[in-house]
Amino acid sequence: MTNKYHSVKPIKGIGEKRLFIETYGCQMNVNDSEVVLSILQPAGYTLCDSIKDADLILINTCSIRDNAEQRIWGRLDLFRLEKIKRKNVKVGILGCMAERLKDELLNHPAVDLVAGPDSYRSLPFLLESLESGSKQINTILSQEETYADISPVRMDKNGVSSYISIMRGCNNMCSYCVVPYVRGGERSRNPESIVREARELFANGYKEVTLLGQNVDSYHWANPDNPTEITTFAMLLEMIALVNPALRVRFSTSHPKDMGNAVLYTMAMYPNICNHVHLPVQSGSDTMLLKMNRKYTRAQYLERVAKIREIMPDCSISTDIITGFSGESDDDHRDTLSIMKEVGYYTAFMFQYSERPNTKAARRYPDDVPATIKSQRLSEIIKLQGELSLASNKADLGKEFEVLVEGYSKKSKAELTGRTQQNKTVVFPSGEHKSGDYVRVKIESCTSATLIGKEITK
Ligand code: SAH
Ligand code: SF4
Ligand code: F3S
């Protein structure tokens, strides 16, 4: 999801000013850029797909690791050159880095505007105020903002799958993590507005929605008119599954301490809720988990995995792993390798620990694992995951899956690519099919990243 920009062809005739948005970070940011576009279109902005054509360049940023921020500073140096060439182009910084660094970013010569994740409604006003010549900033975090009433303008290219944010912020305070500081406290969005958005997407041809939150299991909405009327995540999941059986439902991210059985039973009950759980483990060592403030033990995590497998034997599980956190010993590292094998993740996002200023870890725990050890451990983890991914894909050989087609394969138009419910990528000969079709495919071969098969024609 990182380091991509998303754009669509400008709608001719609407808007006189051209906007280029570059999005970094997680899926929430991708969805937020769509919210920003919906806010800016009525103010006369139209997307363009080249920096060279833009009157306004917006960069939606990520602070999760130091290298994510370094990449943005690099981009700013480039935009500075663009501004020397074209005096009238404006540059705005959005997202998590805007929230974290505020004036430090505003002081960069390339930057005209800084707006944090809860202040996008003020963008038309901030842009208008820019005309007066002075730089503009709004990084006020909100306890209420969910952008519930805004229908994001979709910028994805495939027209098949889309994101829906169901909540914002995070209350978990994992000791290494910057998100609670840059995204603010957790708030859930009105379920009716979520269902409405899912219905609209389905009516517009979308076949898959992914419900987004930092910890979807703590989704909790109390009706302000009748506070005893509560909607939990399991209930919301059911409401979305009922929009239409031909709409696939996914969600991310689940937290091992909060993912209860009700969610699992709801997943099992509705065939259109995909059998895939992204369940970040971070570490296999109890010492590290405690220090990370993850609020579960290795045994509790494995109990959740066992329950997923008991209720949905064909459910795939993926994870996030941090290596080299403060004080991590060889034994702790071995515990991570062993839990990876025990669970048999089909895929994983794997990171070296990056100390984030002002987090609890930065204040209390020294970043004391040497860089060489961190990178050696990461290599071991990546190598093991490669083996696990291959083993997981080999176990699918000969099996049949329903694939939702997303487009042509990278190699040729004679092949389509799509995903199984388990979130694995499948490539197969196109036949008569196109994006958005559901096709039953039998798997004949694989790599560690892709399943390769043929349509079942009976
Ligand atoms: N809310 C999600 C994840 C959000 S961030 C969850 O709790 O699972 C995505 C991933 O980035 C995290 O799961 C973690 O693996 C990684 N991450 C977060 N902070 C990090 C840091 N300081 N250094 C390295 N990786 C980090
Ligand atoms: Fe960060 Fe933890 Fe919240 Fe995830 S749950 S966003 S890792 S604080
Ligand atoms: Fe990055 Fe912010 Fe997402 S820090 S991972 S863009 S919530």
Side-chain angles (χ1 to χ4, degrees):
M1 197 52 59
T2 49
N3 202 13
K4 262 173 140 183
Y5 79 83
H6 305 257
S7 62
V8 291
K9 290 262 172 285
I11 312 158
K12 286 219 168 65
I14 307 176
E16 300 118 48
K17 289 168 258 175
R18 277 158 304 180
L19 161 67
F20 181 85
I21 309 187
E22 222 173 61
T23 306
Y24 296 84
C26 63
Q27 298 152 325
M28 301 286 279
N29 257 15
V30 173
N31 194 231
D32 277 5
S33 288
E34 298 178 330
V35 167
V36 166
L37 182 59
S38 326
I39 292 170
L40 288 182
Q41 271 188 345
Y45 286 86
T46 303
L47 265 196
C48 65
D49 45 20
S50 157
I51 292 170
K52 306 236 164 327
D53 298 331
D55 301 306
L56 172 65
I57 300 169
L58 293 177
I59 320 172
N60 198 355
T61 61
C62 173
S63 282
I64 201 82
R65 286 169 288 276
D66 184 55
N67 55 12
E69 292 196 346
Q70 291 313 323
R71 196 178 298 145
I72 305 296
W73 287 116
R75 293 300 282 163
L76 284 182
D77 292 339
L78 186 105
F79 294 148
R80 188 180 177 183
L81 297 178
E82 187 67 22
K83 286 185 69 161
I84 293 169
K85 278 188 269 167
R86 294 195 297 129
K87 292 268 177 302
N88 289 332
V89 62
K90 301 279 186 238
V91 174
I93 307 290
L94 312 177
C96 298
M97 211 174 148
E99 194 61 48
R100 195 178 90 72
L101 295 172
K102 299 182 169 71
D103 288 334
E104 199 178 318
L105 278 164
L106 200 66
N107 290 336
H108 189 284
V111 177
D112 299 290
L113 176 153
V114 172
D118 289 342
S119 65
Y120 298 150
R121 282 181 205 270
S122 70
L123 278 171
F125 170 77
L126 296 174
L127 287 164
E128 217 178 286
S129 310
L130 265 188
E131 305 295 327
S132 70
S134 59
K135 294 189 178 205
Q136 298 293 320
I137 182 163
N138 184 355
T139 54
I140 297 166
L141 286 174
S142 147
Q143 284 303 311
E144 285 91 35
E145 183 60 273
T146 59
Y147 301 110
D149 56 320
I150 292 176
S151 283
V153 178
R154 302 298 164 179
M155 288 195 259
D156 50 90
K157 293 208 175 95
N158 69 20
V160 175
S161 53
S162 189
Y163 298 127
I164 302 183
S165 293
I166 63 164
M167 56 208 291
R168 297 180 75 82
C170 184
N171 286 346
N172 285 304
M173 306 303 280
C174 300
S175 62
Y176 51 81
C177 184
V178 78
V179 171
Y181 303 91
V182 292
R183 288 260 164 185
E186 186 181 285
R187 59 224 108 110
S188 297
R189 177 178 162 189
N190 178 336
E192 274 167 24
S193 74
I194 301 171
V195 171
R196 198 182 323 122
E197 194 173 329
R199 284 208 187 105
E200 274 171 24
L201 284 165
F202 188 72
N204 287 323
Y206 284 84
K207 295 289 173 59
E208 181 177 274
V209 292
T210 303
L211 308 180
L212 297 179
Q214 295 299 347
N215 175 359
V216 289
D217 303 291
S218 60
Y219 176 88
H220 180 96
W221 193 82
N223 185 345
D225 301 325
N226 177 11
T228 55
E229 192 193 311
I230 302 291
T231 307
T232 62
F233 180 60
M235 291 156 80
L236 177 71
L237 206 47
E238 180 168 47
M239 288 160 80
I240 306 298
L242 288 170
V243 165
N244 196 294
L247 180 72
R248 274 188 177 181
V249 186
R250 299 186 182 275
F251 54 89
S252 187
T253 303
S254 303
H255 198 302
K257 78 178 164 64
D258 295 319
M259 191 191 60
N261 293 345
V263 168
L264 301 180
Y265 287 120
T266 307
M267 289 175 75
M269 195 165 11
Y270 291 93
N272 57 328
I273 305 180
C274 291
N275 285 351
H276 166 228
V277 179
H278 184 64
L279 197 65
V281 65
Q282 314 300 0
S283 169
S285 148
D286 280 339
T287 322
M288 289 296 109
L289 289 172
L290 185 67
K291 219 166 158 180
M292 288 175 164
N293 197 29
R294 288 292 288 178
K295 301 205 169 91
Y296 53 82
T297 60
R298 176 188 175 102
Q300 284 165 337
Y301 182 92
L302 288 171
E303 185 278 327
R304 286 292 79 199
V305 169
K307 201 70 190 176
I308 295 170
R309 298 252 152 91
E310 178 196 316
I311 296 174
M312 292 169 287
D314 66 344
C315 187
S316 65
I317 303 177
S318 52
T319 203
D320 293 348
I321 294 169
I322 298 176
T323 187
F325 187 56
S326 172
E328 187 187 68
S329 67
D330 283 339
D331 277 349
D332 295 321
H333 172 57
R334 272 191 288 275
D335 285 345
T336 296
L337 295 172
S338 77
I339 203 166
M340 290 171 70
K341 286 188 214 152
E342 215 164 321
V343 179
Y345 299 109
Y346 84 93
T347 194
F349 298 96
M350 301 155 281
F351 313 103
Q352 292 184 35
Y353 171 56
S354 166
E355 187 180 87
R356 307 315 292 131
N358 300 323
T359 54
K360 184 176 171 198
R363 282 181 270 121
R364 302 254 296 262
Y365 311 131
D367 182 10
D368 55 3
V369 175
T372 48
I373 305 274
K374 278 186 189 171
S375 97
Q376 193 183 323
R377 286 180 186 164
L378 183 65
S379 302
E380 279 176 47
I381 287 170
I382 290 172
K383 179 165 173 285
L384 173 60
Q385 187 52 51
E387 291 161 18
L388 295 175
S389 298
L390 185 62
S392 166
N393 280 355
K394 279 188 173 166
D396 288 340
L397 295 180
K399 289 189 191 163
E400 298 176 7
F401 293 94
E402 183 190 65
V403 176
L404 173 58
V405 179
E406 288 171 8
Y408 292 115
S409 84
K410 273 183 226 141
K411 283 192 203 133
S412 116
K413 287 205 169 172
E415 285 176 344
L416 290 170
T417 178
R419 276 174 297 148
T420 64
Q421 283 231 344
Q422 287 75 9
N423 206 32
K424 289 188 178 180
T425 300
V426 180
V427 171
F428 63 98
S430 308
E432 299 294 299
H433 294 292
K434 58 180 189 324
S435 284
D437 287 356
Y438 286 106
V439 183
R440 284 207 70 80
V441 176
K442 184 170 181 174
I443 306 307
E444 294 179 337
S445 62
C446 69
T447 66
S448 65
T450 312
L451 298 174
I452 299 147
K454 280 213 179 80
E455 182 184 2
I456 304 161
T457 42
K458 275 190 201 133

